[in-house]
């Protein structure tokens, strides 16, 4: 049996047990504050990031892993006897990580299959999980990559920022929009469409925003199978747990996880953000 490695980045927010079980190597995304660059999950915890974000006078920037870091990992995997790797990365519509992986794969002697997840967070883990099941069933890497590419069209992730203040600081919305949103309690629903984030809806109250996302979930459940969802959040576990409980009351038997979003999402969406993600089959 061939020895297979998975490569991803910290946008996936995989826990240690998952990483060990599925043989995953994680490249960190970075956040750049005025006092330097911090690698997610290595130099900076979630709590430390939000403490720095609250204190920052200028919104931080995000950066992707360097090609040299990718090349070094590919060489390491080759030296350890891996036959090939599948590199699944954050949507190319948000980050250049996938493009860098493509360039690094072309330069490496080691065989790497770069894959654009066209999303982030929970669906990335599901793609790795399903890919490993296919490899265990004897599928060739080209078949596995094709299946993952199909899953990218069936993956959903929507989130609701607590306010538009951080989106304003990061240059995504105007000061006027942020001000009016706070005064009028307007909530926006942001979702992935073709690999990029799009402002889908503006509603009055967080309850209506969540109902908009829940409606999309119900629609997918009517046309396919959705056995598991993830409530995602930016340092708002209490809000995520509340949403989880609401979902479990409505959808009997549905598995609901609560997971944090990458701090690189927090740079733009801001603290307090909650959302929902799933993959339909």
């Amino acid at each position: 049996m061939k020895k297979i490695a998975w490569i991803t980045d910290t946008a996936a927010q995989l826990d240690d047990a998952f990483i060990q079980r599925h043989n995953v190597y994680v490249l960190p995304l970075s956040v750049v504050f005025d006092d330097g660059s911090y690698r997610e999950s290595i130099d900076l915890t979630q709590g430390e990031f939000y403490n720095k974000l609250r204190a920052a006078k200028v919104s931080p920037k995000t950066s992707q892993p360097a090609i040299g870091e990718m090349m070094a990992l590919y060489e390491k995997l080759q030296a350890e006897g891996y036959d090939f790797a599948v590199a699944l990365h954050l949507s190319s519509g948000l980050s250049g990580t996938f493009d860098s992986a493509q360039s690094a794969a072309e330069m490496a002697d080691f065989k790497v299959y770069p894959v654009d997840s066209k999303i982030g967070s929970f669906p990335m883990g599901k793609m790795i999980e399903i890919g490993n099941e296919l490899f265990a069933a004897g599928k060739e890497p080209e078949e596995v990559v094709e299946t993952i590419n199909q899953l990218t069209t069936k993956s959903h992730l929507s989130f609701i920022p607590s306010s538009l203040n951080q989106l304003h600081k990061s240059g995504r919305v105007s000061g006027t929009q942020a001000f009016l949103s706070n005064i009028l309690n307007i909530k926006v629903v942001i979702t992935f469409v073709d690999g990029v984030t799009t402002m889908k809806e503006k509603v009055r109250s967080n309850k209506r925003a969540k109902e908009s996302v829940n409606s999309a979930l119900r629609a997918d459940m009517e046309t396919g199978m959705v056995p598991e969802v993830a409530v995602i959040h930016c340092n708002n576990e209490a809000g995520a747990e509340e949403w989880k409980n609401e979902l479990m009351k409505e959808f009997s038997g549905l598995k609901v996880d609560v997971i944090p979003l990458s701090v690189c999402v927090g740079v733009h969406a801001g603290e307090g953000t909650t959302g929902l993600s799933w993959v339909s089959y």
Side-chain angles (χ1 to χ4, degrees):
M1 186 174 178
K2 291 183 177 180
K3 191 176 180 182
I4 305 159
W6 287 87
I7 301 168
T8 190
D9 52 65
T10 46
Q13 285 297 291
L14 305 176
D15 61 38
D16 290 339
F18 185 100
I19 289 169
Q20 293 175 11
R21 184 166 66 251
H22 294 289
N23 213 25
V24 185
Y25 292 78
V26 182
L27 291 165
L29 302 172
S30 297
V31 183
V32 184
F33 285 93
D34 283 344
D35 62 348
S37 179
Y38 297 83
R39 295 168 297 172
E40 182 173 18
S41 301
I42 297 175
D43 304 321
L44 199 65
T45 66
Q46 290 262 335
E48 290 168 342
F49 164 74
Y50 287 105
N51 287 338
K52 289 183 71 66
L53 185 65
R54 286 184 221 111
K57 294 181 179 179
V58 178
S59 184
K61 307 295 183 183
T62 59
S63 66
Q64 66 202 46
I67 288 182
E69 189 176 358
M70 294 178 174
M71 292 290 292
L73 176 56
Y74 299 168
E75 290 171 3
K76 176 177 180 290
L77 295 175
Q78 185 178 36
E80 292 180 356
Y82 284 93
D83 293 290
F84 62 87
V86 180
L88 177 75
H89 289 295
L90 174 63
S91 174
S92 62
L94 297 184
S95 168
T97 308
F98 168 71
D99 291 335
S100 293
Q102 282 189 310
S103 298
E106 290 171 1
M107 293 185 286
D109 293 329
F110 179 62
K111 183 61 178 176
V112 181
Y113 295 86
V115 181
D116 182 356
S117 72
K118 298 183 181 178
I119 204 161
S121 189
F122 171 76
M124 296 174 72
K126 296 307 295 182
M127 291 172 192
I128 292 172
E129 189 176 286
I130 291 167
N132 257 347
E133 291 174 358
L134 293 173
F135 279 128
K139 299 296 183 182
E140 292 298 319
E142 290 79 10
E143 295 177 274
V144 174
V145 168
E146 176 58 30
T147 298
I148 294 174
N149 284 329
Q150 291 172 8
L151 287 174
T152 66
T153 66
K154 301 175 182 178
S155 298
H156 187 98
L157 191 159
S158 292
F159 54 93
I160 306 162
S162 178
S163 77
L164 297 189
N165 291 340
Q166 191 58 36
L167 283 166
H168 168 53
K169 288 181 181 179
S170 63
R172 300 301 175 100
V173 301
S174 70
T176 301
Q177 285 176 307
F179 175 76
L180 291 175
S181 172
N182 292 336
I183 291 296
L184 300 175
N185 192 29
I186 294 173
K187 299 295 182 182
V188 298
V189 177
I190 299 174
T191 191
F192 276 80
V193 178
D194 296 328
V196 297
T197 51
T198 302
M199 198 174 294
K200 179 184 177 184
E201 196 166 0
K202 296 180 183 179
V203 294
R204 296 288 290 271
S205 83
N206 194 58
K207 181 179 179 180
R208 290 183 178 180
K210 288 198 293 185
E211 177 55 29
S212 172
V213 180
N214 288 347
S215 294
L217 173 60
R218 293 188 198 102
D220 272 8
M221 284 180 157
E222 289 175 1
T223 59
M225 182 176 66
V226 183
E228 182 180 4
V229 302
V231 184
I232 52 181
H233 68 94
C234 293
N235 205 34
N236 186 7
E237 190 167 354
E241 287 288 348
E242 179 183 338
W243 198 344
K244 172 183 176 177
N245 291 334
E246 292 168 357
L247 290 167
M248 292 180 71
K249 285 180 181 178
E250 179 176 356
F251 303 104
S252 176
L254 179 66
K255 182 181 178 183
V256 185
D257 295 319
V258 170
I259 61 174
L261 280 163
S262 165
V263 299
C264 292
V265 177
V267 165
H268 303 293
E271 188 173 18
T273 294
T274 55
L276 197 59
S277 183
W278 65 88
V279 180
S280 59
Y281 304 97

